Each structure stands twice: as C-alpha cells, then as structure tokens.
Amino acid sequence: MTTTAPGGPGRPASVPAREPAPETAGKPAPEPAPGAAPDAPTAAATGSSPWQLARRELRRRPAVRVSLCVVVLLVLTAVTAPWLGALGGWSPEEYDKSAVDPYLGGQPLGSFGGIGPEHWLGVEPVTGRDLFARVVTGAQVSLLIAFAATAIVVVTGTAAGIAAGYFGGRTDAALSRLMDLTMSFPSLIFMIAMLSVAKDVNRIVLMTAVIGVFGWPGVARVVRGQTLSLRHREYVDAARVGGSSSWRILTRDVLPGVCGPVIAYTTLLIPGMISTEAALSYLGVGVRPPTPSWGQMIAESVAYYETDPMYFLIPSAFLFLSVLAFTLLGDALRDILDPRGGRT
C-alpha cells in the first residue's frame, strides 16, 4: 500500500519531491575581484614554482613594481657611483669655492642650494662640494654596509637556526640561550660604545661586523621554528632511514624548505640596516669624513636647514626612498614566499 505525498497523487512517500533547480545553476562561478589574492588551492593548482609566483605577484602590484624599480635604480647608482660622479664633473671631496658666497657665510650661489648645470643637486654650504657626487657615493657606502651586514646576519642566523631546530637537545638549548643573551643587549648602545673606542680601523668593515653581531638572533629564531616543523616530515625521515648523512639532509631537504621565509626576512632586514648605518653616522660614530654617508650629511645639514633647506632635503629624500622601497618589496615577498608567517 502506498500513500500519496503532499507533492501530488501517486508519488510514494519514500521518494522526496524534486526541488526546483537553484537560480544559479548553469551560471559560471563569479570571478574574483581585481586585485584580490587567489585562493591557496588555486595558486597551488597552477603548478608554479615560488619564484614564478613571486614574479607574477610582483607584476600584478603597481606599488611593488615601483618599489622594485627604485631598488634596482639605487643598486645601479651604488655600483656605478665613481662613474656617475665623474659624469657630473666633480669628485666627492673636491671643493668649489666659486659656487659659494664668502660674504654670506658660505651660502651657495643661486637658487635651491646652487642647483644648476654645473652642480646637478647643488653644493654644500661653506665647502662648495658637489652634492650629487656625495649623494651617489653615500649610496654606495650605505648599501655596501647594509648588504654586507645583512649577509653576515642571514648566514649566521640560518646556520644557527637550522642546527638548533634539527639536532635539538643540548645543541638547541645552548644556541637558544645564546640567542636570548644576544637579544637582551641594548644593541644600539653597545654599537655606539664599540665604535667610539675603536681607533685607526676601517670604519666600513667595523660597522659591518658590529651590526652583524647583534642582528643574527632574529633570523635564527625564524629558521629554528621552520626547521622544527620540517625535521619530522616524511621525506626527511625517509632520507634519514635511507642512511643519508646529517649534512646531506640539512642541505638537500631542510634548507630548501626554509629558503622562502629567509628570503622574505632578508629583504625586510635591509631597510633596518640602512637606517642603523645612517643613525650611527648621524651620531658621529659611523663613517668618518671625508667619506660621505647619508646620515653624516643629514647631521651636517641640520645647522643650515633654515638658510639652505635643499642641503637637508636631498640626502633625507634618498634615505627615505631607499628605506620605503626595500620595506614595500620585503612586505610583498613575505606575503608571497611566507604567507603563514605574514598573518597576524
């Protein structure tokens, strides 16, 4: 015996009535809004390598493209600083007394700090030294110290972090305590003290070493945490059971897994290193005259910011643009190469 369902006569009660198709049936899925980040499965399904994904994302973001162009321009400026100075016709230490007015306290002749065909960015008050030659040479000094110190920090921090995370036990305890001890020091005060007492040494080498000594624990902690999540993965256990040495496992299996966060962290380290070098030079314990530095030039220009504001604005603008460009580029790389680490 069958009973009729409310939907109509003759329909068995055990068979539900067919519901009408939803209005969205047959319609294509809505496309993501322009500029929205792709879902993780979609990005993974493309089969792109991290570098291909990074290039695609960098091309898609206008602000990052501009930052990348600024970074490339700054690096080229630093590399070609001697030739650019010669192209301008002046060396960083060459005085031009004809470009300043001795009866006005050595103020630059002409408007905007003496900017003109002879001196593209004007001249320093009193000395008449060409600002363009000094700014590009200062870019070379600042980026050289920043890149060299970052290399020391990244290599030391990566090695310590991998060793602590992979071997664990006493090795992890010893390296972790060393990280805590280094991070507990007031680094800026110690940098000022160490640079103040050092005499007759290469200031660039000394600043690079001092900045590198206090900067590695941050990288080491990031790498240690990443290594702890990788050391018990199936492919690492398989390599260990297969008789691979610890060195081979660390270099072939663990290191590639931490490269993404390390690269992102490295790009974010560089603007901090540039700012640290500028701060130390501003305080008078960094690069010494006559070698130019952006921080040193800003410190010297403070006395003339009312009478010759261009002397203050030009090195400040270069320092601001370099820090901003590297920061934006580092944020983008962190979002691409280490998305989980960039979440709050």
Side-chain angles (χ1 to χ4, degrees), residues 8 25 45 58 85 106 108 113 138 167 191 196 248 280 297 306:
L58 291 179
F167 294 107
M191 288 180 191
S196 299
R248 182 181 178 86
L280 293 173
M297 296 173 66
E306 290 184 347

Side-chain angles (χ1 to χ4, degrees), residues 46-309:
T46 59
S48 300
S49 68
W51 290 111
Q52 292 173 338
L53 181 60
R55 287 196 297 268
R56 183 164 60 249
E57 290 295 315
L58 291 179
R59 287 196 300 264
R60 192 171 59 86
R61 304 183 185 185
V64 179
R65 288 202 304 267
V66 174
S67 300
L68 184 60
C69 292
V70 173
V71 168
V72 172
L73 184 60
L74 285 170
V75 172
L76 290 177
T77 300
V79 171
T80 60
W83 295 278
L84 288 176
L87 183 64
W90 298 91
S91 67
E93 293 84 19
E94 187 176 358
Y95 286 30
D96 184 12
K97 293 296 185 179
S98 63
V100 295
D101 190 347
Y103 301 103
L104 291 177
Q107 291 300 310
L109 295 173
S111 57
F112 300 104
I115 294 178
E118 189 72 14
H119 298 282
W120 297 343
L121 295 180
V123 297
E124 284 186 348
V126 181
T127 63
R129 291 183 294 191
D130 185 70
L131 274 185
F132 174 78
R134 294 184 64 78
V135 163
V136 297
T137 306
Q140 185 181 54
V141 172
S142 296
L143 293 186
L144 175 62
I145 294 175
F147 286 166
T150 301
I152 294 175
V153 167
V154 170
V155 171
T156 305
T158 302
I162 287 180
Y166 180 79
F167 294 107
R170 294 182 178 179
T171 303
D172 186 15
L175 290 174
S176 296
R177 299 295 77 76
L178 182 59
M179 296 176 202
D180 295 338
L181 179 63
T182 306
M183 296 183 72
S184 66
F185 281 102
S187 57
L188 184 60
I189 296 177
F190 272 81
M191 288 180 191
I192 294 173
M194 294 174 66
L195 291 169
S196 299
V197 300
K199 305 294 182 182
D200 300 328
V201 294
N202 189 314
R203 305 297 296 184
I204 294 178
V205 175
L206 180 61
M207 289 184 66
T208 301
V210 169
I211 295 173
V213 164
F214 290 100
W216 66 271
V219 180
R221 287 196 167 191
V222 172
V223 174
R224 175 184 175 274
Q226 192 75 10
T227 304
L228 287 173
S229 67
L230 293 175
R231 68 175 181 175
H232 292 306
R233 296 285 178 89
E234 292 81 357
Y235 60 89
V236 176
D237 290 337
R240 191 182 297 112
V241 172
S244 298
S245 63
S246 297
W247 175 256
R248 182 181 178 86
I249 294 174
L250 290 176
T251 55
R252 296 292 184 86
D253 300 316
V254 177
L255 185 59
V258 302
C259 279
V262 168
I263 292 172
Y265 198 90
T266 299
T267 315
L268 288 173
L269 274 176
I270 294 175
M273 297 296 182
I274 296 174
S275 301
T276 302
E277 183 278 327
L280 293 173
S281 297
Y282 181 89
L283 294 174
V285 296
V287 178
R288 298 284 178 84
T291 303
S293 168
W294 289 341
Q296 175 198 118
M297 296 173 66
I298 294 173
E300 294 173 351
S301 66
V302 170
Y304 302 96
Y305 76 94
E306 290 184 347
T307 57
D308 184 14

